[in-house]
Amino acid sequence: MNCNIRAWRMSDAADLAAALNNPNIQNNLRDGLPCPYTQKDAGDYIDAMLRADKNATFAFAITVDDKAIGSIGVFRKDNIHSRTAEMGYYISELFWGQGLGTSAVKQTCKYIFENTDILRIFAEPFAYNTASCHILEKSGFLCEGILRANAVKNGKVLDMALYALLKSDCPEYSEV
Ligand SMILES: CC(C)(COP(=O)(O)OP(=O)(O)OC[C@H]1O[C@@H](n2cnc3c(N)ncnc32)[C@H](O)[C@@H]1OP(=O)(O)O)[C@@H](O)C(=O)NCCC(=O)NCCS
């Protein structure tokens, strides 16, 4: 299956809403997303991403045949962490288990390291989220540790895993 990442379009709102209006996805993300997640919510998100600071927010639709089937974003931190960025992502459940998440993570990291001065991309999946931990490992990320009792999600205290990929881990990406 041919997976790509591209800039969001307002016309993706229906597909984005269909993907994210699913507790099996939202249960693995931070709180704060509307539930149910409507097409208007999706449109507001896309609008915010299109207006965001292009040096700090790198948000992409994950596509198959140009149809949005997921979302991936890299968000620059500030102050002394300004060359560090956090990555988050999800794939519509209909498309799980076909390598699309791994492909999107790899393509996004390549884009970030080739086009920005970001040196470190990190992600913090819940430690039980085997699929997410696995796609990070397959993309070259190192597990730097377990953040014990780092979150409360749906009333449960959860550990999180800290994964990071450095630009210097990837000799194929040009030096900044
Ligand atoms: C995490 C997520 C993006 C993975 O997307 P995906 O397209 O299914 O990922 P891939 O197919 O590239 O890879 C998944 C890998 O995890 C493995 N996997 C999936 N569930 C697993 C489980 N319960 N136990 C062990 N391995 C598992 C798959 O076998 C696959 O590995 P393989 O290619 O070596 O066989 C998707 O499940 C998702 O959107 N989950 C909800 C949101 C989320 O968790 N986002 C990340 C927050 S940090």
Side-chain angles (χ1 to χ4, degrees):
M1 207 173 275
N2 194 14
C3 175
N4 288 298
I5 58 169
R6 63 156 168 78
W8 284 105
R9 300 172 190 147
M10 286 309 292
S11 55
D12 295 321
D15 291 331
L16 173 58
L20 194 46
N21 195 25
N22 178 348
N24 294 332
I25 291 189
Q26 291 212 13
N27 287 342
N28 288 292
L29 305 179
R30 292 205 168 97
D31 288 342
L33 291 167
C35 186
Y37 193 90
T38 65
Q39 192 167 326
K40 177 174 186 313
D41 296 321
D44 290 346
Y45 172 80
I46 293 169
D47 184 54
M49 292 302 102
L50 294 176
R51 290 168 186 271
D53 178 351
K54 297 208 168 1
N55 192 39
T57 296
F58 307 91
F60 302 100
I62 302 169
T63 63
V64 169
D65 297 332
D66 208 37
K67 176 184 165 71
I69 55 91
S71 171
I72 189 162
V74 175
F75 305 96
R76 190 192 287 272
K77 309 308 266 189
D78 61 11
N79 205 288
I80 59 170
H81 305 298
S82 64
R83 294 181 76 184
T84 289
E86 180 168 14
M87 184 171 64
Y89 44 81
Y90 54 84
I91 298 275
S92 167
E93 190 171 1
L94 296 171
F95 291 85
W96 285 3
Q98 299 177 62
L100 304 178
T102 307
S103 173
V105 166
K106 286 182 178 172
Q107 290 181 54
T108 302
C109 293
K110 179 171 161 46
Y111 175 88
I112 294 294
F113 288 142
E114 287 183 349
N115 293 283
T116 80
D117 66 352
I118 289 168
L119 298 173
R120 170 184 167 92
I121 301 172
F122 72 94
E124 293 181 355
F126 294 126
Y128 75 74
N129 190 346
T130 314
S132 187
C133 294
H134 197 51
I135 70 176
L136 292 167
E137 287 161 11
K138 284 196 295 180
S139 303
F141 282 66
L142 188 66
C143 181
E144 296 182 337
I146 299 299
L147 307 172
R148 297 176 302 157
N150 192 46
V152 181
K153 180 75 183 181
N154 297 335
K156 284 193 185 148
V157 177
L158 295 176
D159 295 346
M160 298 176 86
L162 171 59
Y163 279 89
L165 180 71
L166 304 189
K167 183 171 183 169
S168 57
D169 293 337
C170 312
E172 65 273 32
Y173 304 131
S174 58
E175 291 298 322
V176 170

